[in-house]
């Protein structure tokens, strides 16, 4: 990937083929060479991963990046950075392809026209560091049946730019949103995320480790948990799971 012009204070390390950009970022922490908002990218990953240890398909032409973030609050609160990043992805992609409908999907996905186009993975590293892994389908998406959700790539929307431009657009949005979260907390992030959410108020299916739930996607709790309205059974607070919208 060519070197994009990232806005300050972001800095960049661009690599060729790696196992995982998240692992490379974690290695920098272990070697005491990490820096806040240092971005590690790679043309391809041989061991990319998503949530719950799922394989993340990483062909050349897509965006594979990890951002190192210095933590200044609890791990529970820092998980909210996933929502910050989702907002930045939605706004950055909308800047590049204004005609497309980009939406946030709980917990860490971004959809385009109802199909998954980006995902994020948050991992801790060392003492006081968070690694935000980001994958965006720029050139190609997983074929039908290979991924958990139907997927789409920017190229299918007629956009012919490179992954570097996607990263730059993301950073332009992520920096200010991260600063706002650090200064004002989760409330403004939560409000903006809900305004860009997929299927708010609609029926949803949530697959947990040991059960599958159905209900109405009622919104987010004050800390980012999904609120599932199950009618007479009350509102269930979901901390982790896979969400599907049957419609």
């Amino acid at each position: 990937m060519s070197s994009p012009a990232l806005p300050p204070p972001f800095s960049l390390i661009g690599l060729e083929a790696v196992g995982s950009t998240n692992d490379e970022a974690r290695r920098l922490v272990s070697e005491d060479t990490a820096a806040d908002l240092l971005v590690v990218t790679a043309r391809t990953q041989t061991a990319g991963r998503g949530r719950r240890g799922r394989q993340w398909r990483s062909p050349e032409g897509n965006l594979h990046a990890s951002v190192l973030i210095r933590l200044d609050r609890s791990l529970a609160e820092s998980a909210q950075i996933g929502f910050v990043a989702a907002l930045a992805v939605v706004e950055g992609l909308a800047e590049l392809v204004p005609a497309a409908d980009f939406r946030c999907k709980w917990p860490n996905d971004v959809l385009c026209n109802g199909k998954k186009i980006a995902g994020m993975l948050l991992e801790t590293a060392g003492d006081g560091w968070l690694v935000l892994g980001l994958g965006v389908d720029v050139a190609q998406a997983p074929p039908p049946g290979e991924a958990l959700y139907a997927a789409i790539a920017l190229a299918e929307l007629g956009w012919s730019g490179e992954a570097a431009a996607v990263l730059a657009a993301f950073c332009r949005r992520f920096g200010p949103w991260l600063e706002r979260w650090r200064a004002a907390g989760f409330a403004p992030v939560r409000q903006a995320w809900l305004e860009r959410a997929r299927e708010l108020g609609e029926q949803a299916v949530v697959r947990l480790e040991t059960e599958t739930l159905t209900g109405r996607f009622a919104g987010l709790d004050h800390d980012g948990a999904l609120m599932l309205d199950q009618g007479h059974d009350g509102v269930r607070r979901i901390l982790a799971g896979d969400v599907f919208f049957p419609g």
Side-chain angles (χ1 to χ4, degrees):
M1 185 171 69
S2 57
S3 297
L6 299 186
F10 291 90
S11 56
L12 175 69
I13 295 176
L15 304 171
E16 293 295 323
V18 300
S20 159
T21 57
N22 265 30
D23 288 343
E24 289 296 315
R26 291 161 66 92
R27 181 178 60 80
L28 295 176
V29 172
S30 68
E31 294 177 353
D32 201 26
T33 56
D36 193 32
L37 299 185
L38 171 62
V39 184
V40 179
T41 66
R43 289 183 182 273
T44 62
Q45 297 180 116
T46 58
R49 60 184 179 273
R51 293 176 55 246
R52 299 190 176 186
R54 299 188 182 106
Q55 181 183 8
W56 184 270
R57 191 169 177 270
S58 306
E60 187 169 349
N62 287 356
L63 176 62
H64 324 295
S66 296
V67 185
L68 278 161
I69 303 165
R70 188 65 174 170
L71 300 182
D72 56 1
R73 57 193 66 190
S74 70
L75 287 177
E77 287 182 285
S78 297
Q80 297 165 3
I81 291 176
F83 296 94
V84 177
L87 283 173
V89 173
V90 166
E91 292 183 356
L93 294 182
E95 173 187 322
L96 300 177
V97 190
D101 181 28
F102 296 101
R103 295 283 173 176
C104 299
K105 177 179 174 294
W106 189 90
N108 291 328
D109 291 340
V110 171
L111 306 181
C112 175
N113 300 340
K115 298 181 179 181
K116 183 172 177 175
I117 197 167
M120 283 147 279
L121 176 66
L122 295 173
E123 296 182 323
T124 57
D127 183 17
W129 289 96
L130 187 74
V131 179
L132 168 69
L134 171 63
V136 181
D137 292 334
V138 179
Q140 57 181 293
E146 184 175 301
L148 192 62
Y149 306 101
I152 192 172
L154 287 173
E156 298 175 55
L157 304 174
W159 192 75
S160 58
E162 296 183 349
V166 176
L167 176 61
F170 165 76
C171 289
R172 285 194 296 270
R173 302 291 183 159
F174 183 63
W177 269 116
L178 183 64
E179 285 305 307
R180 188 172 183 185
W181 173 79
R182 284 171 164 168
F186 187 53
V189 174
R190 175 181 177 274
Q191 179 179 348
W193 190 96
L194 287 171
E195 290 172 356
R196 295 159 177 81
R198 163 75 191 273
E199 306 290 2
L200 182 63
E202 299 299 320
Q203 286 297 116
V205 176
V206 182
R207 294 181 185 170
L208 309 180
E209 289 285 355
T210 59
E211 60 181 327
T212 298
L213 306 174
T214 60
R216 185 176 60 86
F217 174 30
L220 299 180
D221 199 354
H222 65 279
D223 58 357
L226 182 145
M227 305 305 293
L228 188 70
D229 186 350
Q230 297 186 281
H232 293 301
D233 292 330
V235 177
R236 179 83 172 260
R237 184 171 179 267
I238 310 295
L239 296 174
D242 294 311
V243 180
F244 301 85
F245 295 101

